[in-house]
Amino acid sequence: MEDSSAEPERWRDLDMLLARPGNIVSAGFDPSPQLRREIGEFARVLVVGAGGLGCELLKDLALSGFRNIDVIDMDTIEVSNLNRQFLFRLRDVGKSKAEVAAKRVMERVSGVNITPHFCRIEDMEIEFYNDFNIIVLGLDSIEARSYINSVACSFLEYDSEDNPIPETVKPMVDGGTEGFKGHARVILPGTTPCFECNIWLFPPQVKFPLCTLAETPRTPAHCIEYAHLIKWDEVHSGKTFDPDDPEHMQWVYLEAVKRAELFGITGVTYSLTQGVVKNIIPAIASTNAIISAACALEALKIVSGCSKSLSNYMMYNGVKGTHIKVTDFVREKDCIVCGPGTLIELDISVTLSQFIETLGQHPKLLILKPSVTHRGNNLYMQSPPILEQMTRLNLPLPLYELMGKVPRDALHVSGTAESSGKKTSSLMKLRVVFRGPAEIDTAASI
Amino acid sequence: MINLFKIKDKKNQDAGNANGRPPLKKQSAGELRLHKDITELNLPSTTTISFPNGKDDLMNFEISIRPDEGYHMGGTFIFTFQVPPSYPHEPPKVKCKTKVYHPNIDLEGNVCLNILREDWKPVLNINTIIYGLSHLFTQPNHEDPLNHDAATVLRDNPRLFETNARRAMSGGYVGQVYFPRCI
């Protein structure tokens, strides 16, 4: 099992980092020659995404002493991946990225155990994510990041002073690249801003007006989007366009060419069609390598404490020369995803309508006409009338039962808040704790 | 840093403590924001909303507009809303389910409304979109056409446009195109 005798050279630098004290280490760093082995044995890391960044991350993490790694990716390998997703070969085309990547890294780095998951991130039970000490993200979409962020933040619990409880903090390291640009950030839910706190940082996707596409196309991209968004539906009524189906893509390409000829526009190519429709930005292997290196190092720092963590967002720009800037973003105090919310203690007998009344009188809330939602179940909606009617039956029921008889959980309410005479609409997170867990247990067993 | 000693201890304990957690179902930040938007809807009198998938799926709903003025007065037009998980970063996808003779809505139900695409901002909300859609019926715009033929008629011969719109709503042909009755 112990491989340091077999490959001492491979681990020399890492051991120096982990075995020696320093001036910029985290509080509680305990340098020791054993530390690398302990990280390998006890730390479990999840890599989300096995694409351009994911391949780099798996290699970097395996070479940083992590030995218990899981990787999840729903995609299969395509020919166009091979230039930068260096764990894949031509013969792997069509196979699961997660499975092939895991196998290749295990072949090259002895002692590392990588478990692949060939599925969507939403397919795994939420508890699956709780088994990891750290989650490293190599994703290309806002939706997927937002999902993992909300899962990781759902494990977070606060004490009665609204301080995060350390055991419930699920650290995330998020990497992202786009051409020559990239970022690496550290998210410690409850301490540094979560993904949702700063989601406004992302620029909106460029979208062309439909009427421009239909009437006055001026660029090759306009012609492609016309074929994709308007012409497709006109011809294939009801059939949804699948960007991963080469036949569909070919059809859109040919239609775009016709359209371009009609308006005297040049420059429509198959690869541009793919680029526009799937919103592909050319990927640069070295950008991935740089960002992944930063992410793997942050993961190692969080787990070992061998240096202080990045605080908390690194931006890399390699378009002209090399520009790197670190920004210390701040948390959104009332973030509905990572914030503590307002603590409310309730008796298990309190009904939903009593609870709603309480919210209007609660000094920290003073929220009028609140609608209440719990993990996707709308318990009561004040409006519109059709939803009020559908949820009215819940009002006389005990909230404890409506929330699935758990001793504590988060709830969200939206309504009108009144502060210093001004009415504002608001959405709030509440931490509901039911009184008397002992009685609850008895009640449940009867 | 993560306390490795605590991790060791936890390993040694029985790992199977569920911590009294419910079977977790996620509610995205987008869903929560939408929840707020929906409870704050202030619908025009011409408009109703319905939730075909029941009270817990707010991400898919339908808006029905029955204009009380303009060329489409008296018709009932259904719009489907599909709200993405990344809402409000991304706008909802809105389509018109009712076939309509209108310069800014094509025969496939695509709607040309700037705030649904190029001018969407996260500060906008569902109410804004609904007012935008109502506006399309009071002020159809021939300068931004999606249905080219309808736009030309509206520009050159508003009287004929009115006749065509009436005929389409009562169920009938305008040119080669059949419109089912929606009045």
Side-chain angles (χ1 to χ4, degrees), chain A residues 112-125:
Chain A
V112 67
N113 184 28
I114 304 181
T115 309
H117 304 275
F118 177 29
C119 61
R120 295 158 51 84
I121 50 176
E122 297 90 348
D123 291 343
M124 301 306 280
E125 297 283 331

Side-chain angles (χ1 to χ4, degrees), chain A residues 159-195:
Chain A
D159 64 19
S160 51
E161 259 100 60
D162 286 356
N163 295 311
I165 299 171
E167 297 86 70
T168 65
V169 175
K170 187 73 60 196
M172 282 173 281
V173 180
D174 174 43
T177 69
E178 212 175 76
F180 285 103
K181 299 175 191 169
H183 79 262
R185 70 189 290 191
V186 171
I187 298 176
L188 301 171
T191 305
T192 69
C194 83
F195 185 72

Side-chain angles (χ1 to χ4, degrees), chain A residues 42 126-127 133 143 196 202 207-211 215 233-234 302 371 373 375-376 378 381 414 425, chain B residues 1-2 8 21 24 27 29 35-36 39-40 55-56 86 89-90 95 108 111-112 117-118 145 148:
Chain A
F42 299 112
I126 303 288
E127 276 304 318
N133 306 111
E143 284 91 338
E196 216 65 49
F202 289 90
K207 286 197 168 151
F208 307 117
L210 278 183
C211 47
E215 284 295 305
D233 282 348
E234 232 174 87
I302 289 170
S371 296
T373 181
R375 295 198 181 274
N378 293 317
M381 299 287 284
S414 52
S425 80
Chain B
M1 68 175 270
I2 291 172
K8 278 187 237 174
R21 282 180 178 281
L24 294 173
Q27 195 167 22
H35 181 265
K36 177 167 169 282
T39 58
E40 285 171 2
K55 71 174 180 67
D56 293 329
S86 49
H89 194 73
E90 295 279 331
K95 283 228 168 192
E108 267 49 62
V111 182
C112 185
R117 292 184 62 81
E118 70 273 19
H148 189 85

Side-chain angles (χ1 to χ4, degrees), chain B residues 13-29:
Chain B
Q13 287 166 15
D14 185 17
N17 68 333
N19 202 12
R21 282 180 178 281
L24 294 173
K25 181 185 159 194
K26 284 310 315 149
Q27 195 167 22
S28 68

Side-chain angles (χ1 to χ4, degrees), chain A residues 128-365:
Chain A
F128 164 80
Y129 294 97
N130 206 10
D131 281 343
F132 299 94
N133 306 111
I134 185 162
I135 301 176
V136 185
L137 310 181
L139 290 164
D140 61 359
S141 85
I142 291 179
E143 284 91 338
R145 283 192 181 86
S146 181
Y147 179 81
I148 297 286
N149 179 71
S150 70
V151 171
C153 290
S154 73
F155 302 128
L156 178 66
E157 288 179 29
Y158 286 87
D159 64 19
S160 51
E161 259 100 60
D162 286 356
N163 295 311
I165 299 171
E167 297 86 70
T168 65
V169 175
K170 187 73 60 196
M172 282 173 281
V173 180
D174 174 43
T177 69
E178 212 175 76
F180 285 103
K181 299 175 191 169
H183 79 262
R185 70 189 290 191
V186 171
I187 298 176
L188 301 171
T191 305
T192 69
C194 83
F195 185 72
E196 216 65 49
C197 288
N198 316 127
I199 196 165
W200 48 269
L201 285 171
F202 289 90
Q205 244 182 46
V206 178
K207 286 197 168 151
F208 307 117
L210 278 183
C211 47
T212 302
L213 303 182
E215 284 295 305
T216 50
R218 297 181 301 276
T219 67
H222 286 158
C223 301
I224 294 165
E225 281 292 68
Y226 172 80
H228 167 217
L229 293 173
I230 297 176
K231 194 77 187 175
W232 176 272
D233 282 348
E234 232 174 87
V235 176
H236 306 83
S237 69
K239 189 159 131 198
T240 41
F241 173 77
D242 176 7
D244 293 321
D245 185 330
E247 269 177 45
H248 289 193
M249 195 59 85
Q250 183 68 20
W251 188 91
V252 166
Y253 163 63
L254 292 175
E255 284 299 323
V257 168
K258 276 189 222 161
R259 179 93 177 151
E261 274 167 12
L262 192 65
F263 284 87
I265 295 167
T266 53
V268 175
T269 60
Y270 186 73
S271 64
L272 182 70
T273 307
Q274 278 185 308
V276 169
V277 170
K278 296 173 87 171
N279 200 29
I280 297 175
I281 290 125
I284 310 288
S286 48
T287 308
N288 285 338
I290 290 165
I291 294 302
S292 165
C295 291
L297 184 60
E298 289 310 317
L300 180 68
K301 281 154 69 172
I302 289 170
V303 170
S304 69
C306 69
S307 179
K308 287 192 172 131
S309 282
L310 171 77
S311 53
N312 43 44
Y313 192 111
M314 184 201 83
M315 195 277 295
Y316 163 81
N317 187 337
V319 178
K320 286 183 183 168
T322 299
H323 179 79
I324 288 178
K325 182 169 169 29
V326 174
T327 310
D328 193 2
F329 282 108
V330 292
R331 288 178 65 205
E332 190 72 49
K333 187 168 61 59
D334 297 320
C335 177
I336 50 169
V337 177
C338 74
T342 306
L343 180 65
I344 291 194
E345 277 191 47
L346 292 174
D347 198 87
I348 58 165
S349 64
V350 170
T351 64
L352 179 57
S353 63
Q354 288 169 328
F355 170 67
I356 285 171
E357 215 168 294
T358 318
L359 296 177
Q361 294 146 6
H362 193 287
K364 277 194 190 160
L365 296 171

Side-chain angles (χ1 to χ4, degrees), chain A residues 406-419:
Chain A
V406 289
R408 60 178 185 282
D409 204 0
L411 266 187
H412 290 90
V413 294
S414 52
T416 315
E418 215 178 324
S419 70

